[in-house]
Every structure is written in structure tokens, then in C-alpha cells.
Amino acid sequence: MELESLPDDVVAAIEVRDRWRRASAGGGLEFLVTDIARWTPGSTVRVAFLDGDEQLHADIAGATAQITDACNVKLDFGRDEATGTFRRWTTADTAFAADIRVSFDMQGYFSLVGTDSTDRTIGVGGGPVGGNPGQRSLNLGRYAVNRPAQWEGTVRHEFLHALAFHHSHQNMRGTCEGEFRWDDEPEYVPTQDADGVFVADAQGRRPGIYTYLAGEPNRWPRAKVDHNLRTVDDPDVVAGPFDPRSVMLYRFPSFFYKSTPSSCAPTGNGQNLSDGDIRGLNLLYPHTADEVADLQARADTVLRSIGTDAEGLPRSDGGNLVKEYRNRVGALVAAQAAGAD
């Protein structure tokens, strides 16, 4: 089983930035992370494709309709009604052809979260993935060659990431932290099959998550397992209720869990948005002016928590982030005014 994962250099850049945010924002973390990662409610987020044919592009766009039907944001795939073609981007681009840049040519599935897709500090080293114009921000590996079963659910999962959703198994209100069987069973003898996958040993003792994911095809070190699976028990982070029906909840092999059936295991079909997913979309991208005004008030709180100097200008250590945040506050104000009109 191969899990979705961003390249290591991209994960490292995100972790460095997020540590800075935590140190700068203090108690406003939950609003800082949510509001900076969120696209502006009521806005249009442009999508473009690197490869794949027009039928694949049309199918991807169709699968995301379930998302945009549920919230106040539009995904624009740039379809030309006359030709039936969709917007494309290239790795040579120096200006953004789109906010979300889709590819099918890399291994596996992944997406940057929300506005990380246009954060130029991510992938600044020039790798294939990042927040710069010529870098992939969302990948659906080998869809151009062979789509897997239930491919629509994977599309919705990755596009929810692109709209600022995180994984449900990392929700501190869930049970996954305690339900996951992190370590090997006592006296397990590391045993791999012909493909390099860790399996039960001759006595039937099973590997734990750390050992299993260290083998093929993932080859993850412990730090990467922690980043992708562990729950961060931070009292400053506001999370919604754990939703076992969410398309954002991984469907793991049964031996990952301590109990059967596990309270952490998904109960949805993995294809369609759950009621909880739809509620989350409405919270991130509300429709009413009052709800948008509430987002603006929260953004103001975070801006103050980051801090400014005596003249009201950004501190030197946080200038770019504060400027970006002020721009997002301004966009929220504009959205509210447009709604009032």
C-alpha cells in the first residue's frame, strides 16, 4: 500500500514555515493556519493541467463539482467552449497560469494545502513540486495511463487538500492516535516479501506502522510517518468533530489498528463527500456577509498576534507574512462589500 506523500524537500520547507508561524502567532494559531491556507470566500481559483487529454480533464473537473456545489468558491478549469480544451500550464512558466497546477506524471497522489499552491517559498530550490509557477501543486499519478477504481474519491480528496483541508486521521478529536499500532508486535522478526514489503514473520507476529512504512513502496523514516500520521495535540488548534465518513480519512490495512472494528477506520464509501465534509466547506467558504465578517475579525486578531512596530508596520521578521495577511483581510472586506451589494 502506497500512501500519498509530498516530496521530502517540500515537507521540510512547510515544517520550517509552520514552526515560524507557531512561534509568531501564539494563541492565534488556529486562525492563522486556517485563514492563510484558505482561498478567499466567493473567489475563483484557477486550475490548469500539465499533461493528460481533454477527456481526462473533463472527468477531473466533473468530479470536483460535488465540492464546489457545497461552498462559496469556484474552481475554474479554463474550458474553452468552442474547442472543448482546458487550461494548461508548463514547467517553463514564470508567471502563474493557474493557482492549482495539476499533473499526472509523478508517482502517487499528493496536493499542497490551500494557498500553499502559490507560496513561492515552497519549492524555492527548483524541484518538481512547489508553490512556484512552473511546479506541480497537485498530482494524480498515472491517471493519464490507467485510472484506479474509485478514482473520483481520490480526486475529491486531493482537491479538498487544495482547498485547505487536512487529513481526518490527524484530527485531535478522533481516536486514531491511540488506535494506531505504531510498534511491532513483541519479538517480531523483521521479514520482507519479494517486493520488499514488511510482512508477518514465521510466527505470525506483525510489523507495526513504523516498520511497515519503512519498507517498500513508501520507505518512510520515522519523522515522515509522524508528519503524515501522528496527531498534534495542540490546545490552540480548533478542529471539527472527527468524521469517520469523510473522504479525508485514509482507508488503512486492518493490521494498522489495535481493535476490530476500529473507531478510527472509515465508514464512508471513500467516494462521496460526507455531511461533515460539506459542513467543513461551508465553514471555510461561507456564503453570507455576516460569516465573511466573522472571518475578517478573526484575521484581524491574528494580524495583531503576529505583531507590528510602533508605526504600525510589519516587523522585519514577519514582514512578508503580515503583508500577505493584510492582502487577505482586504480581500475578505471586498467579498463582504460585494455580498452587501
Side-chain angles (χ1 to χ4, degrees), residues 8 11 14 41 56 65 86 100 107 132 148 157 159 166 172 189 210 237 246 255 271 294-295 301 314 323 329 335:
D8 290 349
V11 171
I14 292 171
L56 176 57
F86 291 78
I100 299 172
Q107 182 175 351
N132 292 278
H157 180 109
F159 271 88
H166 292 271
M172 71 181 70
V189 176
Y210 284 121
V237 175
S246 173
F255 75 87
Q271 282 285 85
D294 178 63
L295 292 183
T301 298
K323 288 176 184 176
V329 171

mmCIF file of all heavy atoms in Angstrom, residues 8 11 14 41 56 65 86 100 107 132 148 157 159 166 172 189 210 237 246 255 271 294-295 301 314 323 329 335:
data_model
loop_
_atom_site.group_PDB
_atom_site.id
_atom_site.type_symbol
_atom_site.label_atom_id
_atom_site.label_comp_id
_atom_site.label_asym_id
_atom_site.label_seq_id
_atom_site.Cartn_x
_atom_site.Cartn_y
_atom_site.Cartn_z
ATOM 1 N N ASP A 8 10.151 15.102 0.119
ATOM 2 C CA ASP A 8 10.746 15.443 1.408
ATOM 3 C C ASP A 8 11.157 16.906 1.499
ATOM 4 O O ASP A 8 11.005 17.539 2.552
ATOM 5 C CB ASP A 8 11.968 14.558 1.664
ATOM 6 C CG ASP A 8 11.588 13.105 1.923
ATOM 7 O OD1 ASP A 8 10.390 12.837 2.108
ATOM 8 O OD2 ASP A 8 12.482 12.240 1.935
ATOM 9 N N VAL A 11 8.040 19.014 2.200
ATOM 10 C CA VAL A 11 7.601 18.833 3.590
ATOM 11 C C VAL A 11 8.509 19.614 4.530
ATOM 12 O O VAL A 11 8.037 20.284 5.462
ATOM 13 C CB VAL A 11 7.587 17.343 3.963
ATOM 14 C CG1 VAL A 11 7.339 17.169 5.464
ATOM 15 C CG2 VAL A 11 6.516 16.603 3.169
ATOM 16 N N ILE A 14 7.683 23.342 4.422
ATOM 17 C CA ILE A 14 6.417 23.627 5.092
ATOM 18 C C ILE A 14 6.600 23.573 6.604
ATOM 19 O O ILE A 14 6.072 24.429 7.340
ATOM 20 C CB ILE A 14 5.334 22.635 4.627
ATOM 21 C CG1 ILE A 14 4.987 22.891 3.155
ATOM 22 C CG2 ILE A 14 4.088 22.747 5.496
ATOM 23 C CD1 ILE A 14 4.098 21.831 2.541
ATOM 24 N N PRO A 41 -13.263 33.455 0.349
ATOM 25 C CA PRO A 41 -14.634 33.039 0.042
ATOM 26 C C PRO A 41 -15.221 33.859 -1.100
ATOM 27 O O PRO A 41 -15.026 35.072 -1.181
ATOM 28 C CB PRO A 41 -15.374 33.315 1.360
ATOM 29 C CG PRO A 41 -14.318 33.220 2.402
ATOM 30 C CD PRO A 41 -13.078 33.782 1.772
ATOM 31 N N LEU A 56 -9.848 13.284 -19.928
ATOM 32 C CA LEU A 56 -9.415 13.175 -18.542
ATOM 33 C C LEU A 56 -9.640 14.496 -17.812
ATOM 34 O O LEU A 56 -10.136 14.508 -16.675
ATOM 35 C CB LEU A 56 -7.938 12.778 -18.482
ATOM 36 C CG LEU A 56 -7.291 12.719 -17.093
ATOM 37 C CD1 LEU A 56 -8.040 11.755 -16.176
ATOM 38 C CD2 LEU A 56 -5.823 12.336 -17.206
ATOM 39 N N ALA A 65 -17.179 18.909 -8.996
ATOM 40 C CA ALA A 65 -18.434 19.661 -8.870
ATOM 41 C C ALA A 65 -19.105 19.407 -7.528
ATOM 42 O O ALA A 65 -19.748 20.296 -6.959
ATOM 43 C CB ALA A 65 -19.375 19.301 -10.019
ATOM 44 N N PHE A 86 -9.045 22.552 -22.140
ATOM 45 C CA PHE A 86 -8.940 23.095 -20.791
ATOM 46 C C PHE A 86 -7.607 23.821 -20.613
ATOM 47 O O PHE A 86 -6.666 23.625 -21.393
ATOM 48 C CB PHE A 86 -9.063 21.968 -19.768
ATOM 49 C CG PHE A 86 -10.434 21.358 -19.695
ATOM 50 C CD1 PHE A 86 -10.857 20.444 -20.667
ATOM 51 C CD2 PHE A 86 -11.318 21.698 -18.680
ATOM 52 C CE1 PHE A 86 -12.120 19.887 -20.614
ATOM 53 C CE2 PHE A 86 -12.590 21.144 -18.617
ATOM 54 C CZ PHE A 86 -12.991 20.235 -19.588
ATOM 55 N N ILE A 100 -3.919 26.257 -8.923
ATOM 56 C CA ILE A 100 -3.719 24.820 -8.691
ATOM 57 C C ILE A 100 -3.215 24.221 -9.991
ATOM 58 O O ILE A 100 -3.876 24.306 -11.032
ATOM 59 C CB ILE A 100 -5.034 24.139 -8.271
ATOM 60 C CG1 ILE A 100 -5.556 24.739 -6.963
ATOM 61 C CG2 ILE A 100 -4.843 22.624 -8.121
ATOM 62 C CD1 ILE A 100 -6.957 24.270 -6.575
ATOM 63 N N GLN A 107 4.881 9.876 -9.487
ATOM 64 C CA GLN A 107 4.364 8.710 -8.779
ATOM 65 C C GLN A 107 3.465 9.141 -7.626
ATOM 66 O O GLN A 107 3.760 10.086 -6.914
ATOM 67 C CB GLN A 107 5.519 7.875 -8.229
ATOM 68 C CG GLN A 107 5.095 6.600 -7.514
ATOM 69 C CD GLN A 107 6.283 5.761 -7.089
ATOM 70 O OE1 GLN A 107 7.415 6.044 -7.475
ATOM 71 N NE2 GLN A 107 6.021 4.738 -6.297
ATOM 72 N N ASN A 132 5.565 27.560 -6.911
ATOM 73 C CA ASN A 132 6.012 28.459 -7.967
ATOM 74 C C ASN A 132 5.334 28.130 -9.295
ATOM 75 O O ASN A 132 4.815 27.019 -9.472
ATOM 76 C CB ASN A 132 7.528 28.364 -8.100
ATOM 77 C CG ASN A 132 8.240 28.930 -6.880
ATOM 78 O OD1 ASN A 132 8.429 30.138 -6.765
ATOM 79 N ND2 ASN A 132 8.607 28.055 -5.947
ATOM 80 N N PRO A 148 -7.344 4.345 -11.346
ATOM 81 C CA PRO A 148 -7.705 3.271 -10.420
ATOM 82 C C PRO A 148 -9.206 3.216 -10.197
ATOM 83 O O PRO A 148 -9.948 4.131 -10.582
ATOM 84 C CB PRO A 148 -6.976 3.669 -9.138
ATOM 85 C CG PRO A 148 -6.942 5.171 -9.203
ATOM 86 C CD PRO A 148 -6.756 5.509 -10.656
ATOM 87 N N HIS A 157 -10.535 13.965 -2.637
ATOM 88 C CA HIS A 157 -9.613 14.026 -1.510
ATOM 89 C C HIS A 157 -8.510 15.050 -1.793
ATOM 90 O O HIS A 157 -8.240 15.927 -0.962
ATOM 91 C CB HIS A 157 -9.012 12.635 -1.289
ATOM 92 C CG HIS A 157 -8.040 12.553 -0.163
ATOM 93 N ND1 HIS A 157 -8.324 11.907 1.021
ATOM 94 C CD2 HIS A 157 -6.758 13.009 -0.030
ATOM 95 C CE1 HIS A 157 -7.279 11.978 1.825
ATOM 96 N NE2 HIS A 157 -6.311 12.642 1.206
ATOM 97 N N PHE A 159 -8.378 17.479 -4.081
ATOM 98 C CA PHE A 159 -8.855 18.847 -4.270
ATOM 99 C C PHE A 159 -9.343 19.460 -2.957
ATOM 100 O O PHE A 159 -9.276 20.685 -2.791
ATOM 101 C CB PHE A 159 -9.930 18.914 -5.352
ATOM 102 C CG PHE A 159 -9.357 19.137 -6.728
ATOM 103 C CD1 PHE A 159 -8.962 18.066 -7.515
ATOM 104 C CD2 PHE A 159 -9.173 20.418 -7.225
ATOM 105 C CE1 PHE A 159 -8.405 18.257 -8.774
ATOM 106 C CE2 PHE A 159 -8.622 20.630 -8.489
ATOM 107 C CZ PHE A 159 -8.231 19.544 -9.265
ATOM 108 N N HIS A 166 -7.196 19.215 5.809
ATOM 109 C CA HIS A 166 -6.144 18.306 6.249
ATOM 110 C C HIS A 166 -6.737 16.907 6.439
ATOM 111 O O HIS A 166 -7.947 16.711 6.346
ATOM 112 C CB HIS A 166 -5.520 18.801 7.549
ATOM 113 C CG HIS A 166 -4.739 20.069 7.381
ATOM 114 N ND1 HIS A 166 -3.404 20.086 7.058
ATOM 115 C CD2 HIS A 166 -5.113 21.383 7.475
ATOM 116 C CE1 HIS A 166 -2.983 21.330 6.970
ATOM 117 N NE2 HIS A 166 -4.007 22.144 7.205
ATOM 118 N N MET A 172 -7.308 15.834 16.317
ATOM 119 C CA MET A 172 -7.075 15.536 17.726
ATOM 120 C C MET A 172 -8.350 15.080 18.440
ATOM 121 O O MET A 172 -8.279 14.497 19.520
ATOM 122 C CB MET A 172 -6.502 16.768 18.444
ATOM 123 C CG MET A 172 -7.491 17.895 18.633
ATOM 124 S SD MET A 172 -6.750 19.302 19.460
ATOM 125 C CE MET A 172 -5.645 19.898 18.193
ATOM 126 N N VAL A 189 10.234 -10.502 14.213
ATOM 127 C CA VAL A 189 11.474 -10.626 13.446
ATOM 128 C C VAL A 189 11.238 -9.962 12.087
ATOM 129 O O VAL A 189 10.375 -10.414 11.319
ATOM 130 C CB VAL A 189 11.870 -12.104 13.253
ATOM 131 C CG1 VAL A 189 13.109 -12.207 12.373
ATOM 132 C CG2 VAL A 189 12.088 -12.777 14.593
ATOM 133 N N TYR A 210 5.518 1.918 11.953
ATOM 134 C CA TYR A 210 6.843 2.470 11.646
ATOM 135 C C TYR A 210 7.650 1.507 10.769
ATOM 136 O O TYR A 210 8.274 1.913 9.788
ATOM 137 C CB TYR A 210 7.606 2.749 12.932
ATOM 138 C CG TYR A 210 7.160 3.991 13.667
ATOM 139 C CD1 TYR A 210 6.684 3.921 14.971
ATOM 140 C CD2 TYR A 210 7.249 5.251 13.066
ATOM 141 C CE1 TYR A 210 6.276 5.056 15.652
ATOM 142 C CE2 TYR A 210 6.843 6.391 13.739
ATOM 143 C CZ TYR A 210 6.369 6.292 15.031
ATOM 144 O OH TYR A 210 5.965 7.424 15.702
ATOM 145 N N VAL A 237 -5.226 24.625 18.607
ATOM 146 C CA VAL A 237 -5.796 24.292 17.306
ATOM 147 C C VAL A 237 -7.267 23.935 17.458
ATOM 148 O O VAL A 237 -7.630 23.092 18.279
ATOM 149 C CB VAL A 237 -5.032 23.119 16.658
ATOM 150 C CG1 VAL A 237 -5.708 22.704 15.356
ATOM 151 C CG2 VAL A 237 -3.587 23.538 16.383
ATOM 152 N N SER A 246 -15.693 10.854 6.316
ATOM 153 C CA SER A 246 -15.032 11.845 5.482
ATOM 154 C C SER A 246 -14.168 11.197 4.406
ATOM 155 O O SER A 246 -13.507 10.180 4.636
ATOM 156 C CB SER A 246 -14.158 12.750 6.357
ATOM 157 O OG SER A 246 -13.374 13.620 5.558
ATOM 158 N N PHE A 255 -4.375 -4.324 9.934
ATOM 159 C CA PHE A 255 -3.362 -4.515 10.964
ATOM 160 C C PHE A 255 -2.789 -3.191 11.487
ATOM 161 O O PHE A 255 -2.033 -3.172 12.446
ATOM 162 C CB PHE A 255 -2.239 -5.432 10.467
ATOM 163 C CG PHE A 255 -1.280 -4.793 9.499
ATOM 164 C CD1 PHE A 255 -0.177 -4.092 9.954
ATOM 165 C CD2 PHE A 255 -1.471 -4.911 8.132
ATOM 166 C CE1 PHE A 255 0.716 -3.510 9.068
ATOM 167 C CE2 PHE A 255 -0.585 -4.343 7.238
ATOM 168 C CZ PHE A 255 0.512 -3.633 7.705
ATOM 169 N N GLN A 271 -15.864 7.730 -1.681
ATOM 170 C CA GLN A 271 -16.120 8.351 -2.968
ATOM 171 C C GLN A 271 -16.762 9.719 -2.844
ATOM 172 O O GLN A 271 -16.361 10.665 -3.510
ATOM 173 C CB GLN A 271 -17.035 7.450 -3.804
ATOM 174 C CG GLN A 271 -16.346 6.267 -4.447
ATOM 175 C CD GLN A 271 -15.510 6.678 -5.644
ATOM 176 O OE1 GLN A 271 -14.365 7.078 -5.493
ATOM 177 N NE2 GLN A 271 -16.091 6.580 -6.827
ATOM 178 N N ASP A 294 -17.134 37.704 10.138
ATOM 179 C CA ASP A 294 -16.530 36.989 11.259
ATOM 180 C C ASP A 294 -15.116 36.526 10.903
ATOM 181 O O ASP A 294 -14.193 36.608 11.721
ATOM 182 C CB ASP A 294 -17.398 35.792 11.647
ATOM 183 C CG ASP A 294 -16.795 34.986 12.786
ATOM 184 O OD1 ASP A 294 -16.643 35.536 13.884
ATOM 185 O OD2 ASP A 294 -16.474 33.803 12.563
ATOM 186 N N LEU A 295 -14.930 36.057 9.676
ATOM 187 C CA LEU A 295 -13.594 35.664 9.239
ATOM 188 C C LEU A 295 -12.647 36.861 9.262
ATOM 189 O O LEU A 295 -11.484 36.752 9.648
ATOM 190 C CB LEU A 295 -13.637 35.088 7.825
ATOM 191 C CG LEU A 295 -14.347 33.752 7.633
ATOM 192 C CD1 LEU A 295 -14.227 33.315 6.182
ATOM 193 C CD2 LEU A 295 -13.768 32.688 8.540
ATOM 194 N N THR A 301 -7.430 39.612 14.457
ATOM 195 C CA THR A 301 -6.851 39.127 15.710
ATOM 196 C C THR A 301 -5.487 38.506 15.465
ATOM 197 O O THR A 301 -4.526 38.736 16.204
ATOM 198 C CB THR A 301 -7.786 38.081 16.356
ATOM 199 O OG1 THR A 301 -9.038 38.714 16.663
ATOM 200 C CG2 THR A 301 -7.173 37.512 17.632
ATOM 201 N N PRO A 314 4.927 46.156 9.499
ATOM 202 C CA PRO A 314 5.315 44.781 9.852
ATOM 203 C C PRO A 314 6.695 44.719 10.472
ATOM 204 O O PRO A 314 7.591 45.476 10.106
ATOM 205 C CB PRO A 314 5.289 44.057 8.506
ATOM 206 C CG PRO A 314 4.424 44.890 7.630
ATOM 207 C CD PRO A 314 4.624 46.307 8.079
ATOM 208 N N LYS A 323 2.220 41.187 5.315
ATOM 209 C CA LYS A 323 1.713 41.829 4.095
ATOM 210 C C LYS A 323 0.714 40.912 3.388
ATOM 211 O O LYS A 323 -0.347 41.352 2.933
ATOM 212 C CB LYS A 323 2.874 42.158 3.162
ATOM 213 C CG LYS A 323 3.749 43.303 3.647
ATOM 214 C CD LYS A 323 4.945 43.506 2.726
ATOM 215 C CE LYS A 323 5.878 44.582 3.261
ATOM 216 N NZ LYS A 323 7.089 44.712 2.412
ATOM 217 N N VAL A 329 -6.990 39.970 4.342
ATOM 218 C CA VAL A 329 -8.030 40.703 5.068
ATOM 219 C C VAL A 329 -8.749 41.643 4.116
ATOM 220 O O VAL A 329 -9.979 41.743 4.106
ATOM 221 C CB VAL A 329 -7.421 41.482 6.254
ATOM 222 C CG1 VAL A 329 -8.455 42.417 6.865
ATOM 223 C CG2 VAL A 329 -6.913 40.526 7.318
ATOM 224 N N ALA A 335 -15.006 41.033 -0.409
ATOM 225 C CA ALA A 335 -16.022 39.995 -0.586
ATOM 226 C C ALA A 335 -17.277 40.330 0.197
ATOM 227 O O ALA A 335 -18.402 40.134 -0.269
ATOM 228 C CB ALA A 335 -15.464 38.634 -0.155
#
